Amino acid sequence: MTSASAQQSRIECEIRGHIAYVYLNRPDKLNGLDMAMFHDMVATAKKLRKNRSVRAVILAARGESFCAGLDFKSVSKSPSMLPKLFLRWPWRKQNLAQEIAHCWRDLPVPVISVIHGNCFGGGMQIILATDYRIATPDANLCIMEMKWGLIPDMSGMVTLSRLTRVDIAQELTMTGRQFSAIEGHEYGLISKLADDPMAEAEALANTICEKSPDAIAATKYLFKKTWKADTNKALRWERWVQGRLLVRKNNRIAIENGLRAKGTEPKPFIDRTSFK
């Protein structure tokens, strides 16, 4: 599965079993974000959303770095690029710049980002919108928008507020300084450090794929709706989501597997059903 672009796709996507491997594929430009990258990434996420056999996504990058951020040379050559990125159609909840990151948060399956090299600006906002972020200890991170007199506006305000303290978020945003993945881990921005982050991501994805895909989708949906919500709202969503899970076939399969005799093969789950 790849983007339908006639040129070399900015995004590669391969599905192995129930795991989708998605790669930023502009290594000669350190995976800088140009308009083709925006369109290809959003289109890939939309295709994965419709594929109910997919139970986890691993988001990685080709070349020496995960992403150098917005390709400002590309912007300077195409003045119409900025309006296309930042203007929002009235019937949409976000613009294209926000959607390239938030499309991963909106997927009904867990998304695990694998980070190496540099991860700056827009690249940083993309990984913050994923569910788990596994990085090499020497990865170099930066909320770089301040360098250009800008703010992080690719859903960064949503994700930063859920991952770290406000003073840390403000300091990193206001200074635009570079910091290591080790420091990012201390801040809560990186989930785990690993010399081989792809191997760690695959191990996590495989564990997730062994569980009920409906329960996994429901868990991601529930946390999205209730994280930092007031108690009554969280309890209402909890009851509603659990009630919907109890009538599904995958719930019955999970119960049967939980009660199966030791040494017997578990019954396979069916593809994920719609949950939103």
Side-chain angles (χ1 to χ4, degrees):
M1 172 182 161
T2 57
S3 173
S5 176
Q7 62 181 353
Q8 180 185 10
S9 176
R10 295 290 196 260
I11 299 294
E12 290 182 357
C13 182
E14 178 185 356
I15 297 174
R16 303 177 212 160
H18 294 292
I19 303 172
Y21 291 78
V22 178
Y23 291 91
L24 281 68
N25 186 37
R26 202 184 178 210
D28 56 318
K29 299 295 184 181
L30 301 178
N31 296 308
L33 305 173
D34 62 355
M35 186 58 77
M37 180 78 85
F38 277 89
H39 285 301
D40 281 5
M41 187 173 288
V42 171
T44 298
K46 287 180 177 178
K47 289 178 182 178
L48 290 175
R49 187 180 187 88
K50 295 176 182 177
N51 189 334
R52 295 185 179 178
S53 70
V54 170
R55 300 182 187 177
V57 174
I58 295 177
L59 180 64
R62 302 294 190 194
E64 298 178 359
S65 288
F66 182 84
C67 179
L70 187 64
D71 184 346
F72 276 89
K73 287 186 178 179
S74 177
V75 172
S76 65
K77 292 177 182 178
S78 179
S80 65
M81 181 176 173
L82 284 178
K84 290 177 181 177
L85 287 175
F86 297 110
L87 292 179
R88 179 183 66 85
W89 294 107
W91 56 86
R92 299 182 66 86
K93 66 179 182 180
Q94 55 200 359
N95 61 30
L96 182 58
Q98 294 164 331
E99 190 175 13
I100 193 177
H102 221 237
C103 63
W104 304 113
R105 189 166 178 262
D106 284 342
L107 277 188
V109 298
V111 181
I112 308 162
S113 50
V114 173
I115 304 116
H116 72 286
N118 294 332
C119 184
F120 295 160
M124 187 72 187
Q125 293 185 76
I126 289 170
I127 68 164
L128 292 179
T130 62
D131 299 287
Y132 309 96
R133 295 156 300 283
I134 306 176
T136 58
D138 61 352
N140 198 21
L141 313 177
C142 183
I143 302 173
M144 188 176 271
E145 283 74 14
M146 188 57 65
K147 176 181 178 179
W148 310 106
L150 300 171
I151 59 163
D153 62 345
M154 293 167 57
S155 81
M157 292 299 100
V158 175
T159 52
L160 279 169
S161 65
R162 286 162 169 77
L163 296 174
T164 193
R165 303 193 321 247
V166 65
D167 58 328
I168 292 174
Q170 287 187 149
E171 186 263 323
L172 294 176
T173 301
M174 291 177 179
T175 63
R177 70 174 175 87
Q178 296 181 26
F179 56 101
S180 70
I182 296 173
E183 196 174 351
H185 183 255
E186 295 171 357
Y187 294 154
L189 302 178
I190 297 298
S191 309
K192 189 173 186 178
L193 300 169
D195 292 330
D196 188 349
M198 178 58 77
E200 292 285 342
E202 288 179 322
L204 176 57
N206 282 318
T207 298
I208 289 169
C209 289
E210 294 172 355
K211 314 302 181 186
S212 163
D214 289 346
I216 293 293
T219 299
K220 180 167 179 174
Y221 180 80
L222 185 61
F223 276 113
K224 181 180 176 181
K225 289 291 185 181
T226 62
W227 196 250
K228 295 192 174 182
D230 65 78
T231 299
N232 287 337
K233 180 179 180 181
L235 292 176
R236 285 197 302 271
W237 275 108
E238 192 178 272
R239 293 192 299 270
W240 169 245
V241 170
Q242 189 75 299
R244 294 175 66 192
L245 275 178
L246 289 171
V247 299
R248 300 191 180 207
K249 185 175 180 179
N250 276 328
N251 175 250
R252 296 194 296 273
I253 294 173
I255 293 172
E256 290 175 21
N257 287 342
L259 296 173
R260 76 182 187 276
K262 187 176 180 180
T264 60
E265 284 293 319
K267 186 175 181 180
F269 291 103
I270 64 172
D271 286 349
R272 168 179 52 85
T273 53
S274 179
F275 203 103
K276 60 181 180 177

